[in-house]
Amino acid sequence: MILSMTGFGRAVAELADKKVNVEIRSLNSKALDLTTRVAPLYREKEMEIRTEIGQALERGKVDFSLWIEQKEGASQATPINQELVASYYQRIKSIAEATGIPEPADWFATLLRLPDVMAKSEVAELTEEEWEVVHAAIKDAIQQLIDFRRQEGAALEVKFREKIANIGKLLAAVEPYEKERVNTIKERIQTSLEQNLKVDYDKNRFEQELIFYIEKLDISEEKQRLSNHLNYFIDTLEGKPGQGKKLGFIAQEMGREINTLGSKSNQAEMQNLVVQMKDELEQIKEQVLNAM
């Protein structure tokens, strides 16, 4: 079973005065490349969040966002320090009476501009109860992403099996041409000797040299190794998750054997089959980059 590195998850934590939105998405990457954007209230939990994501996802370019959305009707007005306003009012009034300076025409405009009247919002503290709700939403989003990866991984597995089967069929199709080419090579060399060069030659020596030449073009080992790699790819596919890198290595080995087949295939039909194998393998290599 394999997992894709492509995924998406979203969850919302409903609180009394706000909604906390959590989104996490991932793409393929050789290692874990994690970017987090966390609302200030929850920054103290950022390392915990990063650790949890890293343990759950292991690999991929991961983008995590957590932001707050205030609910409609929730109080967002800046509080006014009423006691300080009353104190300023009494003091200004007393000074005006004592000095004869006229009192302000617009008391509110005057008082609200004085220091500390518009009280700064108290620094919000994250309670354990609130964090439990938000943490549950984070876990939910991560699980959604994992489920998404599993679903995408299943689609990848179907594609891999199809491509591996196609390469296997193409490999089997090589065999008839492989047998034919021995006679083709023998006839071509004999024709060249007899018609073009018009020389007499030792028939026994010719057979020995022909055998040596045919052995250099023999593809039995390459076929066997490629067949083994195809089986190993499927076995790895059916093993434990997290084998994407291993599948990539196997695909590279398959490519080496196919390339050797191509270099030894001195027959047009065999070379056409090799080109088709390369095409199937290239599609596997493209997709395996997205496998966990």
Side-chain angles (χ1 to χ4, degrees), residues 100-126:
I101 298 174
E103 295 180 5
D106 188 342
W107 273 104
F108 271 110
T110 301
L111 293 172
L112 293 178
R113 285 198 298 268
L114 294 174
D116 299 327
V117 168
M118 302 295 288
K120 295 179 180 179
S121 299
E122 295 181 0
V123 177
E125 292 186 3
L126 179 61

Side-chain angles (χ1 to χ4, degrees), residues 133-150:
V133 176
V134 174
H135 192 203
I138 293 171
K139 287 184 174 180
D140 186 19
I142 293 173
Q143 187 58 50
Q144 286 184 33
L145 186 143
I146 292 172
D147 292 342
F148 195 112
R149 281 182 161 192
R150 188 174 290 115

Side-chain angles (χ1 to χ4, degrees), residues 54 102 141 176 214 220:
I214 295 299
S220 300

Side-chain angles (χ1 to χ4, degrees), residues 228-241:
N228 290 341
H229 292 328
L230 295 176
N231 293 332
Y232 191 30
F233 192 97
I234 295 298
D235 290 342
T236 304
L237 202 62
E238 295 173 346
K240 63 181 181 179

